[in-house]
Amino acid sequence: MALAASLERKRLESVHSGKSMSITWKLPQYIVLAASEVFNIIGHLEFFYNQTPDTMRSMCIALSFLTISLGSYLSTLIVAIVSVTTRGGQTGWIPDDLNNGHLDYFFWTLASVTALNFVAYLACAKSYRVKKVLVED
């Protein structure tokens, strides 16, 4: 999200100076986002497969996917909250014409929420105890 915010700031600067910017500048952020999603989902599945009781594996993996869907709903809520910035005749952060808005502020907001989520993750990970897996020879 920080990469997207930085790129959006650069895009807005180029638009306001009358220059155009190639869409290929977006490729690095999409590659980073796709790679993080892939590694995250694989890590979730591996964690739930190894660390949950055998009788609860499928339910825990399903709960993992449920958290991803809840994250999508949370994203919708964040967009709705950010839409408040359009009140009072202001263009807001996400107007119809993105050249007049501040999509970079929105990306920085998402980066901040992600950083807070990471801090919460670290707090949970610190108190986590690994399940001992016995391997039969």
Side-chain angles (χ1 to χ4, degrees):
M1 289 299 114
L3 180 62
S6 300
L7 180 65
E8 180 61 19
R9 167 59 42 202
K10 191 156 198 71
R11 189 193 69 78
L12 283 174
E13 289 171 359
S14 71
V15 164
H16 292 143
S17 67
K19 299 176 184 175
S20 64
M21 188 176 205
S22 173
I23 191 71
T24 56
W25 280 96
K26 291 272 191 189
L27 278 178
Q29 81 183 34
Y30 285 125
I31 290 170
V32 168
L33 184 63
S36 67
E37 288 289 329
V38 167
F39 290 128
N40 187 22
I41 289 175
I42 290 172
H44 270 146
L45 292 177
E46 184 71 23
F47 174 79
F48 284 117
Y49 187 79
N50 288 332
Q51 297 298 310
T52 58
D54 293 342
T55 58
M56 295 182 64
R57 273 195 188 132
S58 18
M59 184 183 78
C60 289
I61 290 172
L63 287 174
S64 172
F65 286 119
L66 177 66
T67 61
I68 293 170
S69 65
L70 291 176
S72 295
Y73 282 114
L74 180 62
S75 294
T76 304
L77 177 66
I78 292 172
V79 169
I81 291 170
V82 166
S83 69
V84 171
T85 61
T86 60
R87 290 188 180 168
Q90 297 177 357
T91 56
W93 291 1
I94 310 175
D96 291 335
D97 183 4
L98 293 178
N99 293 336
N100 296 327
H102 280 284
L103 194 57
D104 55 329
Y105 294 170
F106 177 69
F107 287 140
W108 282 119
T109 302
L110 290 180
S112 301
V113 169
T114 302
L116 289 174
N117 187 26
F118 183 64
V119 169
Y121 164 77
L122 289 177
C124 292
K126 184 178 180 182
S127 64
Y128 179 74
R129 302 290 172 241
V130 177
K131 173 185 160 187
K132 304 265 191 258
V133 178
L134 299 176
V135 180
E136 295 179 21
D137 290 332

